[in-house]
Amino acid sequence: MLQLFLLLVANVLCDPALEQGVYQLKEADFYDFVHDNDPTLVLFCTPYSGHCKKLAPEFTQVVELLADTSVKLASVDASKERRLAKAQEIHGYPTLLLYHGGVDTIYEGGHDAQNIVRWLTTTLAGPLVLHTPEDLASYRADKDIAVVGVFKGLGQPQALLFKHVCKAEKVGCAITSSPELRAHLGLDSGIHLLLLSNGSTEVFDGNWEQQELHTFIDLGLTPLVIGLNNHTHHIVFRDDREALLFLFLDPNADDFHHILNCSHQAAHQVRGHIVVAWVNLSDPDAGEFLAHMNIDSHPSVVAYNFSSHLKYHLPSGLPSDLTFCQIVAITANNFLNGQLKPKLKSQSTPPDWDALPVKVLTSENFAAVALDSNKHVFVKFYAPWCEFSAEVAPLWTQLADHFAGRADMVIAKMDAWENELSAFRIESYPTLLFFPKGDSKPHTFAEFVTLETLVEFAEAMAI
């Protein structure tokens, strides 16, 4: 009896704290919790992140909107649970992961409650089953393009594959085996996958394989030229994208509609290879994005490699009589053919870059300093707007003071928002990379940031 009592007490003591409907998870209880509470939406955040602070009130609304559902809401303070965040492959904050059916799925949409709840509903629900033409009309009412699978039976292999693809793609599909609906659509007794839009129907004619279904649905649902905003962010910046083409346009300009229409021609030619998106130059929130994309004239076009985060512009010296639409087509084709060189942002190296204990790096002097075969170099890649970067700054100065007497150790920093490198992809801020003497391959610091952990890591690397 005493053993049973102790076990019960232990379980109570180990239950995660519940604050305003959100479970506060730690590594000790995380895995059991997401296993026992399916589905669970987990928010990984840090108190230093401005984006996390902006998301907080929206996440509170998500709790309220999902109060009557089976979905559990949880959060992890990644500044304290860094090992857990690393194990879950969290590279930036905030990150939302849905744990359902033994699989974790990342949320890539806008950081507002309605979009998050809509994504959850679509992801968890699976395809809507249709029985009548009225069901189809209701399903299509709020959709520009509807995805409908028509099968002899909902349990046949192709129907199960269709359900799986719709769920994986987080697409609100519909499915039917109704003879009445089949007749209404004018279909024979075979298996059909349809994309229905106003006045047109696109029919899948490929092999019933997951990748082909994915490609067909993805292309069908992605407009030829898509406006980039909070509602479409998750479509444009999907993990499986390889290349993007951004058009920076002013919707108030007289030629806006002409440019947008003729850009569809170029987009059609590269469909399936490049996603074309236009950015509203009059949007007050676009300024930071414009600066990051090296935009210095309007309208502009930039090709973007999703895996490397490198940006490509057409070289100067093009004929002056080229129209913008011709420039769009040339940029897209030259990018696909590998004929464009990346345009890297770089600040000028200050003359006193090495005057202080923490050395200042730019794209110009990075290779000469960080890859010096005679020095160990520990670099902090930061962004000036990142609060966590600011929190780390005094520790970085203390670290430089600690190693001030060691001639072969360099502590440096680089504004990675204003300086880009073709060889290294910086995904989050700050990123701390150690370049050992004689080794150009960096080692990432991934522990909780204190002076002690930084010193211990640097001394272990500098052997």
Side-chain angles (χ1 to χ4, degrees):
M1 181 65 71
L2 179 59
Q3 266 188 321
L4 178 59
F5 174 75
L6 290 174
L7 284 173
L8 290 172
V9 170
N11 284 335
V12 171
L13 291 175
C14 289
D15 281 346
L18 182 62
E19 298 178 6
Q20 299 181 323
V22 179
Y23 290 91
Q24 309 300 310
L25 300 184
K26 300 179 179 179
E27 185 178 25
D29 50 39
F30 176 85
Y31 296 99
D32 285 341
F33 186 89
V34 297
H35 177 268
D36 297 338
N37 296 276
D38 188 347
T40 297
L41 180 66
V42 182
L43 169 63
F44 290 84
C45 254
T46 74
Y48 314 109
S49 168
H51 295 296
C52 284
K53 291 176 181 178
K54 290 180 182 178
L55 179 59
E58 297 294 331
F59 201 60
T60 300
Q61 288 188 41
V62 172
V63 173
E64 296 171 357
L65 292 171
L66 297 176
D68 296 327
T69 72
S70 62
V71 180
K72 293 290 190 295
L73 283 300
S75 68
V76 172
D77 183 346
S79 69
K80 297 179 180 177
E81 302 294 331
R82 292 182 67 89
R83 187 167 65 177
L84 173 60
K86 182 179 180 181
Q88 298 303 302
E89 299 182 351
I90 307 300
H91 300 297
Y93 304 102
T95 292
L96 282 166
L97 286 180
L98 174 64
Y99 294 83
H100 175 54
V103 176
D104 57 281
T105 305
I106 191 169
Y107 172 69
E108 299 172 311
H111 289 168
D112 60 279
Q114 295 295 334
N115 265 321
I116 294 171
V117 171
R118 187 181 300 113
W119 174 80
L120 272 172
T121 303
T122 300
T123 302
L124 295 173
L128 176 68
V129 179
L130 306 178
H131 302 283
T132 66
E134 291 73 23
D135 290 343
L136 176 62
S138 177
Y139 162 68
R140 293 187 60 183
D142 62 345
K143 294 177 175 59
D144 294 326
I145 301 175
V147 184
V148 181
V150 183
F151 303 92
K152 297 177 182 178
L154 300 187
Q156 67 183 120
Q158 293 91 336
L160 296 177
L161 177 61
F162 174 69
K163 293 178 183 178
H164 173 75
V165 170
C166 288
K167 190 170 184 179
E169 300 301 315
K170 300 175 271 296
V171 174
C173 304
I175 190 170
T176 186
S177 60
S178 162
E180 179 186 1
L181 197 49
R182 183 185 291 272
H184 172 75
L185 292 168
L187 301 175
D188 59 30
S189 59
I191 297 170
H192 302 277
L193 170 56
L194 312 175
L195 295 178
L196 305 176
S197 58
N198 292 331
S200 67
T201 299
E202 190 171 354
V203 182
F204 176 68
D205 60 359
N207 297 316
W208 278 83
E209 298 175 355
Q210 181 170 335
Q211 185 56 46
E212 290 202 31
L213 292 178
H214 153 73
T215 300
F216 178 76
I217 293 174
D218 180 45
L219 289 179
L221 293 180
T222 304
L224 279 174
V225 180
I226 183 171
L228 178 61
N229 53 50
N230 285 338
H231 300 292
T232 62
H233 182 276
H234 66 291
I235 299 174
V236 175
F237 289 102
R238 280 174 43 150
D239 279 345
D240 57 354
R241 299 290 186 218
E242 294 183 5
L244 302 170
L245 194 71
F246 291 108
L247 313 180
F248 295 88
L249 308 174
D250 182 356
N252 300 313
D254 293 338
D255 59 352
F256 169 72
H257 292 290
H258 169 71
I259 289 177
L260 203 59
N261 288 335
C262 67
S263 295
H264 279 72
Q265 300 175 16
H268 184 76
Q269 294 177 2
V270 296
R271 191 181 188 191
H273 302 285
I274 300 179
V275 172
V276 181
W278 75 274
V279 180
N280 184 352
L281 291 172
S282 62
D283 185 344
D285 295 328
E288 189 175 279
F289 187 59
L290 294 179
H292 188 58
M293 297 299 288
N294 299 347
I295 299 303
D296 51 19
S297 62
H298 308 141
S300 293
V301 56
V302 177
Y304 183 78
N305 185 302
F306 194 78
S307 60
S308 67
H309 287 196
L310 294 179
K311 299 171 281 292
Y312 298 79
H313 298 234
L314 275 181
S316 57
L318 294 173
S320 59
D321 59 346
L322 285 178
T323 67
F324 182 74
C325 289
Q326 289 174 320
I327 292 174
V328 171
I330 293 171
T331 303
N333 290 322
N334 286 5
F335 179 61
L336 279 180
N337 296 329
Q339 297 175 346
L340 296 183
K341 294 182 179 180
K343 183 177 181 180
L344 302 177
K345 292 177 68 176
S346 178
Q347 296 173 312
S348 298
T349 303
D352 59 346
W353 68 271
D354 61 347
L356 297 175
V358 177
K359 312 309 176 186
V360 178
L361 301 186
T362 66
S363 300
E364 293 179 346
N365 69 346
F366 176 84
V369 178
L371 306 183
D372 186 342
S373 60
N374 297 312
K375 300 285 180 67
H376 299 291
V377 185
F378 203 178
V379 184
K380 178 186 70 171
F381 296 88
Y382 70 96
W385 45 260
C386 173
E387 294 184 30
F388 191 25
S389 292
E391 294 282 341
V392 172
L395 291 175
W396 209 245
T397 300
Q398 294 174 41
L399 180 67
D401 291 338
H402 179 86
F403 286 110
R406 183 163 175 175
D408 67 340
M409 179 76 76
V410 176
I411 307 300
K413 64 179 182 179
M414 189 173 92
D415 182 345
W417 192 251
E418 295 297 335
N419 296 275
E420 297 174 326
L421 304 169
S422 59
F424 303 103
R425 174 178 171 179
I426 306 302
E427 296 182 330
S428 60
Y429 305 103
T431 291
L432 310 179
L433 298 182
F434 192 97
F435 295 82
K437 183 189 302 185
D439 186 356
S440 61
K441 183 179 179 181
H443 298 263
T444 304
F445 176 86
E447 304 301 322
F448 185 68
V449 182
T450 67
L451 179 59
E452 291 73 18
T453 56
L454 290 170
V455 169
E456 182 180 348
F457 178 81
E459 289 178 341
M461 290 290 102
I463 53 175

